Amino acid sequence: MRVGVLALQGDFREHISALNHCNVEATEVRRVGELEKIDALIIPGGESTTIVSLAKTFEIFEPIKKRIASGMPTYGSCAGMIMLADHIVAAKDGQETFGGIDITVRRNAFGRQVDSFETDISAPAISSTPIRAVFIRAPWVEKIGKGVEVLASYEGSDSKAHAVAVRQDHLLATAFHPEITDDYSVHRYFLEKVCK
Ligand code: GLN
């Protein structure tokens, strides 16, 4: 299986390194020709508005959207989760997404850069032990459609639990960044469960 990481902006190198730790070679994807050569895609953390505008500039926005809609296994972390959500709140005017997961995410829900934090969260479907999660201007999931499985939740500043890891069929999204930790369980789950 050939795995690509969308390499327009954000922490794509960290995802490639996490995949390498899972014994998977990964390629950087910026062009349609590179997209055509992969079977699965990771959309990194970064800034979703920048990812959208660069994807449009590189004329890869619609091709990615189509591949996702036609079943390509895809995992998005943080900005990548926003890119996979069907709906966004606190979006930049007219902000588009690739979509595919029937959720509404709230951008920057866990606060600003200075409110970034690292914690262990329970995600039994992914790992029998708590997984290491880094939240940086992270979104949370506000509405969940039928067919979406919640894999992990975490309490926000509003003292309510919000979904922070979700799966819908061939699509996986986390509000946090496992790629900047040395816990590879989310990447393994993606490779072993979602891509199969
Ligand atoms: N807040 C960013 C956005 O809206 C996501 C932050 C991140 O990926 N760490 O795209």
Side-chain angles (χ1 to χ4, degrees):
M1 191 182 51
R2 297 158 305 173
V3 184
V5 180
L6 186 61
L8 297 170
Q9 189 265 344
D11 68 346
F12 55 89
R13 289 180 194 86
E14 286 75 3
H15 275 291
I16 290 175
S17 151
L19 289 165
N20 292 342
H21 272 99
C22 301
N23 297 319
V24 169
E25 292 285 326
T27 55
E28 296 181 3
V29 173
R30 294 184 188 83
R31 306 272 177 194
V32 174
E34 293 158 343
L35 177 69
E36 283 164 356
K37 293 195 189 96
I38 59 163
D39 307 302
L41 180 69
I42 292 184
I43 305 168
E47 174 53 50
S48 54
T49 54
T50 308
I51 293 174
V52 175
S53 82
L54 289 172
K56 296 221 164 182
T57 304
F58 280 67
E59 296 179 347
I60 199 172
F61 184 88
E62 289 301 327
I64 291 177
K65 195 172 173 147
K66 281 195 194 122
R67 285 288 310 269
I68 290 172
S70 63
M72 174 176 64
T74 306
Y75 163 44
S77 67
C78 202
M81 169 185 254
I82 297 168
M83 293 304 305
L84 287 175
D86 283 344
H87 309 281
I88 327 174
V89 277
K92 193 174 152 192
D93 269 356
Q95 184 176 345
E96 291 177 66
T97 66
F98 299 133
I101 306 185
D102 184 10
I103 50 173
T104 301
V105 296
R106 175 174 293 277
R107 286 180 66 215
N108 303 329
F110 283 103
R112 299 183 302 148
Q113 193 84 16
V114 290
D115 305 310
S116 301
F117 60 98
E118 191 169 339
T119 187
D120 290 322
I121 56 173
S122 157
I126 296 175
S127 170
S128 54
T129 53
I131 57 175
R132 196 74 184 147
V134 180
F135 290 81
I136 304 167
R137 291 190 304 124
W140 67 42
V141 180
E142 238 167 63
K143 274 194 213 150
I144 299 163
K146 266 194 241 148
V148 179
E149 185 187 353
V150 175
L151 303 174
S153 297
Y154 196 72
E155 194 174 293
S157 49
D158 59 355
S159 302
K160 289 184 191 150
H162 298 275
V164 291
V166 293
R167 174 178 177 180
Q168 183 168 10
D169 307 318
H170 61 291
L171 303 177
L172 173 70
T174 62
F176 51 87
H177 300 264
E179 69 277 13
I180 55 176
T181 72
D182 52 13
D183 180 338
Y184 306 110
S185 49
V186 176
H187 290 84
R188 276 199 203 98
Y189 175 82
F190 177 62
L191 295 166
E192 288 163 16
K193 301 277 166 39
V194 181
C195 291
K196 290 287 130 77

